[in-house]
Structure formats: C-alpha cells, structure tokens
Amino acid sequence: MLVKKLMSWFAVATLVLSSQVFAQDQDDPYQLLSSVATKTFDRIKSERGEIKANPEILREIMEQELLPYIDYKFAALKVLGKHFKSVPRERIPEYVQVFRDYLVTTYALAMAQYDNQTVEFEPNRGEVEEERVVTVRALVKEEGRPDIKLAFKVRKSNNTEQWKAYDMVAEGISMLSSKQSELEGIIRQDGIDAVIKLMKEKNAQPISLQKIAEGSA
C-alpha cells in the first residue's frame, strides 16, 4: 500500500508539468515545474464536477497537461533495463506506445484521489545551462499529514533541447524502479508480448471512482 500511495503522489506531482508553460521558463527546469503547478491543479479543481460524472475525463487531462512534459519513450526503455537487448526491435514501437497509454492510465487513476493537496518546489540553486540531467526537489503538503518528499529526475533532450521528467523518487522509492520490478519477471518468463498484453488490459479498464475510494482499483 505504501508503494501504491507514493506512486499516486508521483502522478499528482507530475501534473504540474502542464502544457500551459511560460516560454521564458522552458530553459529552467526548476521554474518550469513551479510556474505551472497552480494552473494545472486549478484545472483539476474546476473540472471536479465533470470528472465525478465522467471519470474518463481524467485521461484527457493527462494527455493534454502531462504527457507533453514526460519523456515516456526514455522511461519505457529504462524500464526494460537489461532486457532491452532481448526484445525484438520490431516490437519496441508498440511497447513504447502501450507504455505511454499505461502511464496515462496510471496517472488518471491516481489523480482520482486528488483532494486539494499542494506541491512546493525548491528554487534553482545553481546554473543549469551546462547540465543535461538535474534533480528538482519538492514537497507535497496536505493539512493534517506529514509532508512527502519528492525528487524529480529531469533530462534535456539532445534532439529538442526540451526539459522533460522521466523519473521521480518519493520517500526513497523510484517510480522507474517500481515499474521495473512490476514488469521484470513477466519480461523474463513470458517475453515482451506478455508485458504489452498486461498493459493493454489495464489500459482498457474503465476508471471507477467508487473502486478507487474503496482501495480496489
């Protein structure tokens, strides 16, 4: 349950990577994260009524606000780890696409638990012009509960020169490492097709706020 809760905070926190970014913030990953937080959470709050009536709206929000600033391709390949070399090259494109949808589903399910928490990011403590990978730290705050420490791994693309998040460590637990643990045994025993099948099955399941509230989603 602890890992599941922390991974839900990954989804909550990474939602600050909105498509509504200020152009001047795109060169600074620290400012990029912090400047859009309020805007993105405001959207979730403003659409709460519609989400209650149709939880699938959460998938749309993930697509529009989150995915443009998550390096899901890099993350998907990192999750394969040592098994990357054993995966047939022709299966990689479908795996990456299904992994992308899998992340959307994961974030959508987690965001159904959002209830006015806030995320505070640390300011830039140094120059990032020469850096390609940085760690941006933050705190998730909720009244009556201890703060949750987050550390985002953000990399600058060699192709686009854009900063995108690819991993987050919540209270010492890495999202990528957790996904590796979840899928590694399946890849080893049954191959990439079994992993793709599993993710497709999870992606096809409807979002149920009742099941999430009951802790069975």
Side-chain angles (χ1 to χ4, degrees):
M1 290 299 294
L2 175 60
V3 172
K4 182 178 180 181
K5 183 66 175 178
L6 291 177
M7 289 307 100
S8 75
W9 281 121
F10 171 72
V12 171
T14 50
L15 268 173
V16 301
L17 302 175
S18 166
S19 57
Q20 305 175 49
V21 224
F22 295 117
Q24 63 267 31
D25 296 334
Q26 294 183 12
D27 291 333
D28 185 341
Y30 297 84
Q31 188 63 28
L32 174 68
L33 296 181
S34 62
S35 66
V36 299
T38 300
K39 292 181 179 180
T40 306
F41 283 119
D42 281 350
R43 178 175 177 185
I44 299 295
K45 293 176 186 177
S46 67
E47 297 186 25
R48 179 57 61 190
E50 292 88 342
I51 291 170
K52 186 175 181 180
N54 179 17
E56 293 298 321
I57 291 174
L58 287 168
R59 295 188 201 266
E60 298 178 10
I61 296 175
M62 302 306 105
E63 291 273 0
Q64 296 168 7
E65 306 292 351
L66 177 63
L67 262 295
Y69 293 92
I70 294 294
D71 195 342
Y72 65 86
K73 295 180 181 178
F74 184 79
L77 298 181
K78 289 281 286 185
V79 165
L80 288 179
K82 64 182 180 181
H83 298 286
F84 172 75
K85 293 182 179 179
S86 66
V87 176
R89 294 293 83 93
E90 65 271 16
R91 305 299 290 133
I92 293 294
E94 182 180 5
Y95 162 73
V96 170
Q97 180 61 40
V98 174
F99 185 87
R100 171 192 181 280
D101 297 339
Y102 182 53
L103 288 182
V104 170
T105 298
T106 300
Y107 302 150
L109 289 170
M111 278 309 299
Q113 305 176 52
Y114 172 67
D115 188 23
N116 295 324
Q117 296 87 359
T118 60
V119 182
E120 295 183 0
F121 288 88
E122 71 172 2
N124 185 351
R125 296 182 178 179
E127 295 296 329
V128 297
E129 292 182 1
E130 303 302 322
E131 301 292 335
R132 307 301 298 186
V133 177
V134 299
T135 299
V136 179
R137 304 185 188 282
L139 292 175
V140 175
K141 292 181 172 290
E142 182 176 5
E143 186 176 352
R145 296 190 178 186
D147 294 346
I148 296 177
K149 296 179 181 179
L150 306 176
F152 290 90
K153 301 296 183 181
V154 190
R155 66 187 291 268
K156 196 172 190 178
S157 169
N158 292 327
N159 296 325
T160 66
E161 292 296 304
Q162 291 181 321
W163 288 101
K164 292 188 177 184
Y166 69 91
D167 190 18
M168 195 277 309
V169 179
E171 297 293 346
I173 298 177
S174 161
M175 185 275 291
L176 278 188
S177 295
S178 295
K179 292 301 179 186
Q180 278 184 325
S181 298
E182 179 182 349
L183 302 176
E184 196 271 339
I186 301 173
I187 297 174
R188 184 180 66 252
Q189 296 179 15
D190 303 313
I192 194 65
D193 287 341
V195 171
I196 292 173
K197 181 176 181 291
L198 173 64
M199 292 192 295
K200 282 184 174 180
E201 290 173 351
K202 291 190 176 183
N203 295 343
Q205 295 176 1
I207 298 174
S208 170
L209 298 183
Q210 181 177 352
K211 288 184 178 180
I212 292 170
E214 294 171 352
S216 58

